[in-house]
Amino acid sequence: MRVAVVGSGYVGLVAGACFADLGHDVILVDNDESKLAALKNGQVPIHENYLPELLSRHRGQRLTFSGDLREAVGASAAIFIAVGTPPTERGEADLSYVESVAREITGAVDHYKVIVEKSTVPVYTSEWIRKIILRNGADPDSFDVASNPEFLREGTAVTDFLFPDRIVVGCDNDRCANVLRQVYAPLTSGSYYERTDAIPQPDRSTIPAPIIVTSTKSAELIKHASNAFLAMKISFINAVASMCESVGANVNQVCHGIGTDSRIGPRFLNPGIGYGGSCFPKDVMAFRAVARECGYDFRLLDEVMRINEDQRDRFLRKVRSALWTLRGKHVGVLGLAFKGGTDDIRESPAILIVQALLQEGCNVTAFDPAAMERTQEMMTSGLKFANSAYEAATGADAILILTEWEEFANLDLQRLNQELKYPIVIDGRNLYDPEVMAANGFTYYSVGRAAAHPDGVPAAAMKNTAKKA
Ligand SMILES: NC(=O)c1ccc[n+]([C@@H]2O[C@H](COP(=O)([O-])OP(=O)(O)OC[C@H]3O[C@@H](n4cnc5c(N)ncnc54)[C@H](O)[C@@H]3O)[C@@H](O)[C@H]2O)c1
């Protein structure tokens, strides 16, 4: 099939590369000239496993890049809109990028096409897209608007796309649904998985991929409701973690006890410094706003957001209680990306914590395996960068773990201890066992678990740890 994907960011680029791997002819469109030039030159603008392989497999053959939206639409049977939907100041989704694409493509809708919302958008957006295209003169029989929300996670985006838990397709008639069924047929029939050159199947995936066909509005709601639910799960366990800290319980044990209930499940019960990234914060806000507009006061979501913000403040209080004053202190930071496996720092809780530390006069040296370049572009002064976790720790009063990169969970603890001025680790991602840290000579603070100290002395009593020679 001939397919156009408009917007070649985290979602569009992965979707385009994966559609090409499924055997479709794909034109990836973007209005960012420098991004297009980089893609055409063989560069891979984002850090994502398997993406370089897919791009080099299909670039210039089944996958081409273009700045000409109308031409791409004219040549395609399905057009996936994957442009950004950032939050407005009022917390609603800014749909101006989606609208401008809808307006611009009208002239190219000359024979039957399906315009697909891949971007995360509020319910009713498909109706607006239809209205805009009609207002600009398209024949009502020449197109349908469908919703095909994307559930990929950055860091595992390619495998999430090719081995999804489910594919949700929202269409209001069979003609339109059949086009999308055809697009995803290699995944839903399982033929893709039989290929010897298919991307390897990750654990926990079910093949062939299930497809759920709903009305367009239901599909739009499924995406917002899914993200809001997941954010709620994170805030819920963070609130439980705070209770654990108050009463001296261990949140890991509590999570195990909760998560083994098959109705709840163990995933997404990871206490930490709160959710971030380009999706959850904006999608929870947008869902809250759209609920209000629909006449439902979804106050549960306010609380989800409040707990999330509070979680960062609690972490900063932990840093202060470990180090006392922050002005002039040297702190090493492990992790800047909003989660492990990506270079994306949008709404990263790690960045927000680093900014707060810098504001309090702390000297911060950070290391992240993939996100330092993006951080450098965004933060003009104050933050220093290291070439490794150990370098970030060198001479520091404490090391803070802010992103759950796998390599941060496997550090050489003796070496880390030697590099630090004081052996203090404040772990916002619970990557280590407190007892193991104490046995390796660290005073160790984490989330929802009692602080640990090498001598077994309660950490609160150890604020004045003697300076190492
Ligand atoms: N990032 C994720 O993990 C993720 C997951 C699921 C859904 N989503 C949703 O997908 C959408 C895109 O997210 P993203 O992270 O890929 O955003 P992004 O900012 O990385 O990419 C958007 C791209 O669209 C391009 N663009 C903007 N206006 C354009 C236009 N008029 N014509 C052509 N190109 C245009 C931009 O240049 C950019 O390259 C959002 O709605 C987001 O909520 C994101």
Side-chain angles (χ1 to χ4, degrees), residues 373-441:
E373 210 177 303
R374 282 192 198 275
T375 309
Q376 229 155 358
E377 284 163 14
M378 175 207 137
M379 281 177 118
T380 43
S381 63
L383 180 61
K384 292 194 200 79
F385 295 94
N387 290 313
S388 70
Y390 305 104
E391 196 183 310
T394 306
D397 293 280
I399 194 99
L400 274 45
I401 303 177
L402 300 184
T403 307
E404 70 281 32
W405 280 99
E406 221 174 292
E407 70 170 81
F408 297 157
N410 296 302
L411 294 170
D412 175 342
L413 294 177
Q414 282 310 308
R415 184 170 166 202
L416 186 72
N417 193 323
Q418 278 156 19
E419 296 294 352
L420 283 162
K421 187 168 159 198
Y422 301 109
I424 300 173
V425 175
I426 310 166
D427 182 356
R429 299 294 187 169
N430 285 7
L431 296 189
Y432 287 95
D433 180 336
E435 279 180 23
V436 171
M437 294 306 275
N440 278 279

Side-chain angles (χ1 to χ4, degrees), residues 90-110:
R90 293 169 39 178
E92 293 154 352
D94 177 354
L95 297 172
S96 56
Y97 301 96
V98 175
E99 184 182 356
S100 95
V101 173
R103 223 181 311 115
E104 226 184 301
I105 63 181
T106 306
V109 180
D110 47 2

Side-chain angles (χ1 to χ4, degrees), residues 195-246:
R195 280 176 23 197
T196 50
D197 63 346
I199 294 295
Q201 181 180 358
D203 298 340
R204 275 201 304 244
S205 53
T206 27
I207 55 170
I211 184 163
I212 300 172
V213 181
T214 68
S215 72
T216 315
K217 282 185 194 144
S218 297
E220 290 170 331
L221 274 173
I222 285 169
K223 177 62 192 177
H224 262 164
S226 297
N227 275 4
F229 190 89
L230 291 171
M232 180 184 73
K233 210 169 172 190
I234 295 173
S235 281
F236 183 87
I237 205 60
N238 279 334
V240 172
S242 301
M243 284 190 67
C244 288
E245 287 176 11
S246 307

Side-chain angles (χ1 to χ4, degrees), residues 6-12 29-32 35 69 82-85 97 100-101 104 118-120 150-154 223 278-279 282-283 344 346:
V6 188
S8 45
Y10 284 88
V11 167
V29 183
D30 209 287
N31 61 0
D32 178 338
K35 196 178 264 188
L69 179 59
V83 298
T85 48
Y97 301 96
S100 95
V101 173
E104 226 184 301
K118 192 66 145 156
S119 302
T120 302
E150 183 49 60
F151 300 98
L152 65 76
R153 297 159 300 171
E154 288 177 24
K223 177 62 192 177
S278 68
C279 291
K282 88 168 166 58
D283 292 347
D344 197 347
R346 291 178 286 181

